Structures are given as structure tokens and as C-alpha cells.
Amino acid sequence: MNENNVMEAQEKPVARRLTKKDLIHCFVIWETTSESCLSYERLMSLGFCHAMSPIINRLYPDNKEERVKALKRHLVFFNTENNWGAFIPGLVCSMEEDMANGGNVDPDMITSVKVGLMGPLAGIGDTITQGLVKTVALAIGVDMATKGNVFGTILFILLYGAYLMAMGIFMFKQGYTVGRNILSKITDKKIMGKITDILSIIGSTIAGAMIYNNVNITTPLQFTVAESTVVVQDLFNAIVPGLLSVFAVFLVFKNLSKGTSVFKIMLWMFVVAIVCSLLGIL
């Protein structure tokens, strides 16, 4: 009986747990480098991937293939406010830990969580951090500086820096804690699947809103038939508002799905835009 217990213990895989040092390392990298390598193609994804590297190395120390897969899934497009948004890497740490130990989490769910949360947290974070806290701290510091007090600048740095650090630590810690608590209670893969679907819908909605707000392609073309003037853009709007924008985004995603490099797509967009502008089409 004892021998069987020993054999079962030997066969049972050792749980891979993140240490406090791993989480601190992840947060420090996130807080200091998440916005230092932005690009139009992926925005904060390189910073996110960099922050997750100590977590991935801890969870898959002897499996290079799994480390490569994990790092690749964190190179997808990502953008948020990095202090309130610290909740996301904290949550993802708990999800990566659960998946590495055979839980119900899968790579698609991790991606869906990132996409679904980055927009709302960015909206909250930018409003409070940039619109409120920074404005108040600047007002105090500038008021002191204009009165000849040399500590005005120092006070602004201390106030704003303390807020950024405190909020970042709090949100990261809450993300990891919430993740562990939720994942430990969910044992049904169907529930996890529903959560993934919900977050995918949220992410798609946010992506659609971003496209609507940032892509605006119109045409000035119009034709005069007899005494009537036909405005082409009005015709397009009658069919589908923003039809040209939708068509342009569709072409970009179509080419991305075929493996076309972002640089080539951007180059073609510049060429088409210049030619169409010279011809008076766009």
C-alpha cells in the first residue's frame, strides 16, 4: 500500500506556482517598460510580452516549445492605460498559472480577456489619471512654482509618482487575486467557454468602435445628370454608413490573414491614398 502511494506521488505532476518575486518582477517590467516600445502595428504588445517573460520562464522552465507559444500569444495587439490597466497582466498571470497546471484556461480565453478588458480600463484610467489626478497635481505644483517656490516641481513629481505607483501595484495585485479566486471556483469548461465568448463579443465591439472613431474614408466624387447632382458619398451612406471605411478595414484584415506584412500593407495604403487624392477620388 505504501509503495503504491509512493508511485502515485511520483507520477503526479508537480504544481507550478508563481512566487512573490516573479509577480514583483512582472509588475516592475510592466510599470517601467510597457509604454517604451510602442508601435502602430502592435502598440503595447511588446511591453506586455516583456512583462510576462519572468512568468513564462517560471511556469515552463524545461519546455522551450511552450515558452515560445506563450510569448507569441502575448505579441498580439494590445493597448490600455498602464496603471489601471495593470489589472490585466495581474489577471493574466493567474490565468497562465492555471493553464500551466492543467486548468480550464486556454490560450483563446487569455487573448479574449486581454482584448475585452483593455478598452474599458483604458477609458477609466485615462479619464482619472490624465484628466483628474494629473491635472490636480499640476495645478498645485504650478501654483507653487509661479509664486517662486522651487518645491512646486518636486511636489508634482512626488504626488503624481506616488499615485502612479500605488494605483499600479493595487490594480496588479487585485488582478492576480481576483483571477486566482475565480479560476479556483470554476471547474466546468462550458462556463469557461461562455466567459470566452462573452469577452470575445466585448472585444469585437470595442474593435468596431475603434474602427468607427479612427477610420474615416470618404469620396468627393459627384456627377451632374441633366439638372440633378448625384453625390457618390451620399449613395454609399444610404447603402451602409461608412462603407468605404468598412471596405478598407476588410481589405487590411484580409491581407493580414494571408500573412502579408504590416509594412507592405501600410506602403500600399500610402500609394493608394496618394494616387486617389491626385485623381480626386478620395
Side-chain angles (χ1 to χ4, degrees):
M1 185 70 178
N2 291 334
E3 292 181 358
N4 292 334
N5 291 338
V6 172
M7 292 180 64
E8 289 178 2
Q10 291 177 342
E11 293 175 357
K12 187 176 181 180
V14 178
R16 304 166 186 172
R17 297 301 178 193
L18 298 175
T19 65
K20 186 176 181 180
K21 183 179 179 181
D22 296 327
L23 296 173
I24 292 174
H25 193 185
C26 175
F27 170 74
V28 170
I29 294 175
W30 166 259
E31 189 70 15
T32 56
T33 70
S34 59
E35 294 192 75
S36 64
C37 48
L38 301 179
S39 70
Y40 282 112
E41 180 182 358
R42 301 174 187 270
L43 283 179
M44 297 172 71
S45 65
L46 290 175
F48 195 102
C49 183
H50 185 199
M52 295 305 298
S53 58
I55 304 301
I56 301 305
N57 291 335
R58 170 68 67 181
L59 296 175
Y60 305 103
D62 304 316
N63 194 327
K64 182 178 179 180
E65 184 178 347
E66 287 300 324
R67 291 201 303 271
V68 171
K69 289 180 181 178
L71 292 173
K72 282 185 175 180
R73 67 172 162 263
H74 292 303
L75 284 174
V76 297
F77 178 90
F78 184 80
N79 188 41
T80 192
E81 193 273 333
N82 67 327
N83 296 291
W84 283 75
F87 182 89
I88 301 175
L91 178 59
V92 170
C93 285
S94 65
M95 297 180 74
E96 287 284 359
E97 185 178 27
D98 186 75
M99 186 169 69
N101 287 285
N104 291 326
V105 176
D106 57 42
D108 289 337
M109 184 177 182
I110 292 176
T111 301
S112 297
V113 165
K114 290 170 61 179
V115 174
L117 292 179
M118 67 181 186
L121 286 174
I124 297 171
D126 286 338
T127 301
I128 295 178
T129 301
Q130 304 295 332
L132 179 61
V133 177
K134 189 175 185 179
T135 302
V136 172
L138 270 175
I140 296 173
V142 169
D143 182 65
M144 293 177 64
T146 54
K147 292 178 180 178
N149 193 329
V150 296
F151 292 105
T153 303
I154 298 174
L155 182 61
F156 165 73
I157 294 174
L158 291 176
L159 288 175
Y160 194 52
Y163 163 80
L164 295 179
M165 186 58 65
M167 182 55 66
I169 293 173
F170 175 77
M171 293 303 291
F172 183 90
K173 184 178 180 180
Q174 288 302 308
Y176 181 72
T177 303
V178 169
R180 290 205 66 178
N181 290 339
I182 292 176
L183 295 173
S184 65
K185 296 176 182 178
I186 298 177
T187 58
D188 191 343
K189 287 191 175 182
K190 291 183 179 179
I191 296 177
M192 298 295 279
K194 290 180 180 179
I195 293 175
T196 303
D197 291 340
I198 291 170
L199 290 169
S200 296
I201 293 171
I202 294 174
S204 298
T205 303
I206 293 171
M210 290 176 63
I211 292 170
Y212 177 80
N213 287 328
N214 295 286
V215 182
N216 183 27
I217 301 176
T218 58
T219 177
L221 285 176
Q222 54 183 354
F223 302 99
T224 301
V225 180
E227 296 182 356
S228 300
T229 300
V230 178
V231 180
V232 176
Q233 185 59 48
D234 291 343
L235 291 176
F236 287 156
N237 290 338
I239 299 171
V240 175
L243 180 61
L244 293 178
S245 300
V246 172
F247 182 68
V249 171
F250 171 78
L251 288 179
V252 170
F253 274 94
K254 189 70 175 177
N255 281 277
L256 286 173
S257 65
K258 291 181 178 180
T260 307
S261 71
V262 173
F263 177 76
K264 288 183 178 179
I265 293 174
M266 291 179 66
L267 183 61
W268 275 109
M269 289 174 67
F270 275 115
V271 171
V272 171
I274 292 172
V275 172
C276 289
S277 178
L278 293 173
L279 295 176
I281 299 175
L282 295 178

